[in-house]
Amino acid sequence: MPEGLIVKALSGYYYVKPADLTQNDNIQCRGRGILRKDGVTPLVGDRVIYSLTENGEGMVDEILPRISELVRPPIANAKLAVLLFSLREPDLNLQLLDKFLVHIEHSGLRTLICLTKEDLLAQDKKHQAKDVTEQVAELYKSIGYDVIVTSSITGLGTAEVRNYLAGEISVFSGQSGVGKSTLLNAMLPDLSLETGEISMRLGRGRHTTRHVELIELDNGGYVADTPGFSQLDFLELGVEELSTCFREFQQYAENCKFRGCSHLHEPGCKVKQALEDGKISASRYEHYVQFHEEMKEKKRRY
Ligand SMILES: Nc1nc2c(ncn2[C@@H]2O[C@H](COP(=O)(O)OP(=O)(O)OP(=O)(O)O)[C@@H](O)[C@H]2O)c(=O)[nH]1
Ligand SMILES: [Zn+2]
C-alpha cells in the first residue's frame, strides 16, 4: 500500500502527498476509524500508509512511527524550530527570545535563530547597531545555537536559511510581524505568488480558518508557519525543569553543592559562580530569574 506525508489537515480531512513522486496531486483522505480507537490522531507531518477509495479520495490506514510530536502547533516529525526575531520593527527583545528558547528546548527540537530585517538597521548608526547584532549573534552561538542574520529585502541570509531547512520538517515561530511569511515566501520556488495567494497558502486568508499546513520548499524541506509556541505561559513546564532549558547552565549546574539547586540563592552554586566569572551572560541569567518568578507566581494563581 502506498506511503505518503500528511501536509495539511482541515475539516476532518488529511491531505496526503504521495511518496511516489510520479504522483503529483495530494490525496484527500479520511482517517480510518481504527486510528481513533487506538487513540492516535493523525497529525500534519505524519508519514502514513494510505489506500485509495473509489471516489478518488483516500483513507489513512496507518501512521508510521514518529520522531517527534508537538502539541502546539500540532505537528509530527518536526526536527527543527526556526525562531525568528527582527532586529527592528519590532526591536529585538532578548527576554522574549529567551522565553521562546525555553519553550523550544522543552520541546526537544533543534533550533535555528534568524535575526531578521537587517536592512532596517539605520544607515547612520549602522556601525553601532551592527556591533549589537554581532554581539547578540555571538552570545547565542556561544551557547550552541546556530544564528543567521537575514533580510528579505536584500536577500541577506535567505539562501543560507533555505539550505539549512533542506530535507527536514521545520516549524517557524516568532512574534507577529517579525517577517516569517516574508522570509518563507522568499524561499519558495514559485516567486510569482500573489500576496493574497500566499496568505491563502499559509492559512492566513481573512476568511479562512487558521489551519496547519506544511509548505514545501524545492529542496525536500517542509515548513510549518503556524502560530506555534505562541502560548508562552510556562503552564506545561515544571519550575524545576526551567534551568535545564538554559542549556549553557548545564555544565555548571551538575557541580552545584545542592541537588535540585535553583541557582537563585543557594550557597555553593556553580551557576552563580559562572555568572560572576562572566561565563554565563548577565542577560540570560536575569531572564532565568524572571521566568522563575513568573512560574512561581503562576503556580500560586492556578
Ligand atoms: N524592511 C524589511 N521589512 C520586512 C522584512 N521582512 C518582512 N518585512 C515586513 O514586515 C511586515 C511583517 O512581515 P510578515 O512576513 O507578515 O510577518 P509575520 O512574522 O509573518 O507576521 P504574522 O503573520 O503576523 O505572524 C511586513 O510589512 C513585511 O513587509 C525585511 O527583511 N526587511
Ligand atoms: Zn546552582
Side-chain angles (χ1 to χ4, degrees):
M1 279 202 289
E3 198 184 309
L5 171 72
I6 299 182
V7 292
K8 179 164 106 173
L10 187 63
S11 315
Y13 277 108
Y14 303 102
Y15 294 82
V16 176
K17 181 185 153 67
D20 177 358
L21 295 177
T22 60
Q23 299 271 336
N24 285 321
D25 293 329
N26 292 342
I27 300 173
Q28 182 173 327
C29 295
R30 292 275 183 198
R32 204 172 273 297
I34 183 87
L35 295 176
R36 242 163 294 140
K37 244 185 272 157
D38 292 347
V40 264
T41 312
L43 291 176
V44 170
D46 265 324
R47 303 202 176 271
V48 300
I49 305 288
Y50 66 94
S51 51
L52 293 172
T53 49
E54 51 297 330
N55 52 4
E57 297 191 351
M59 188 72 89
V60 172
D61 294 309
E62 193 188 332
I63 299 170
L64 299 176
R66 292 171 179 159
I67 59 159
S68 71
E69 188 182 320
L70 296 177
V71 179
R72 236 179 3 235
I75 300 270
N77 297 320
K79 258 200 187 157
L80 181 72
V82 182
L83 182 52
L84 291 92
F85 265 78
S86 51
L87 292 161
R88 290 279 182 278
E89 298 181 18
D91 281 354
L92 196 54
N93 173 343
L94 291 186
Q95 194 215 31
L96 196 60
L97 175 66
D98 286 336
K99 203 173 248 195
F100 269 93
L101 285 174
V102 165
H103 284 77
I104 295 173
E105 287 291 336
H106 188 59
S107 77
L109 266 64
R110 223 171 70 216
T111 312
L112 169 66
I113 299 172
C114 290
L115 301 176
T116 65
K117 306 196 189 183
E118 188 271 348
D119 58 281
L120 288 182
L121 297 177
Q123 282 302 333
D124 49 336
K125 295 197 192 126
K126 201 140 191 165
H127 263 310
Q128 204 185 332
K130 273 222 145 110
D131 286 348
V132 174
T133 306
E134 251 157 51
Q135 277 168 23
V136 170
E138 282 314 314
L139 166 61
Y140 288 92
K141 280 181 190 168
S142 75
I143 295 169
Y145 295 111
D146 287 325
V147 181
I148 301 177
V149 178
T150 67
S151 163
S152 297
I153 302 270
T154 66
L156 177 76
T158 317
E160 203 182 333
V161 176
R162 190 183 150 283
N163 291 338
Y164 203 102
L165 307 182
E168 311 276 17
I169 295 178
S170 310
V171 178
F172 268 34
S173 63
Q175 269 174 295
S176 181
V178 296
K180 296 182 295 293
S181 308
T182 309
L183 181 62
L184 185 50
N185 187 43
M187 296 187 299
L188 289 179
D190 186 357
L191 288 170
S192 60
L193 280 175
E194 298 283 329
T195 317
E197 254 178 276
I198 299 160
S199 338
M200 288 296 280
R201 265 182 91 172
L202 300 179
R204 287 229 170 90
R206 204 163 287 181
H207 303 292
T208 56
T209 31
R210 190 79 171 178
H211 61 275
V212 182
E213 182 170 2
L214 294 179
I215 312 293
E216 187 176 4
L217 304 179
D218 62 1
N219 58 11
Y222 290 90
V223 177
D225 172 45
T226 76
F229 301 104
S230 55
Q231 220 133 350
L232 297 171
D233 51 19
F234 294 129
L235 284 176
E236 286 146 38
L237 191 69
V239 74
E240 59 295 332
E241 289 175 283
L242 179 65
S243 76
T244 64
C245 296
F246 283 75
R247 53 164 88 163
E248 76 275 33
F249 290 11
Q250 292 326 296
Q251 54 171 314
Y252 307 110
E254 284 168 11
N255 299 315
C256 287
K257 185 166 171 194
F258 296 106
R259 205 177 246 277
C261 181
S262 71
H263 321 305
L264 296 175
H265 22 58
E266 291 90 339
C269 174
K270 298 295 182 203
V271 171
K272 289 201 76 173
Q273 185 64 51
L275 171 72
E276 275 157 34
D277 296 344
K279 289 176 183 147
I280 284 176
S281 110
S283 77
R284 291 276 292 170
Y285 183 77
E286 193 182 307
H287 298 152
Y288 170 73
V289 175
Q290 286 168 1
F291 299 162
H292 200 279
E293 273 169 20
E294 202 176 309
M295 289 171 81
K296 282 260 154 109
E297 184 58 33
K298 283 253 158 67
K299 266 212 178 128
R300 267 196 288 275
R301 275 192 278 134
Y302 285 89

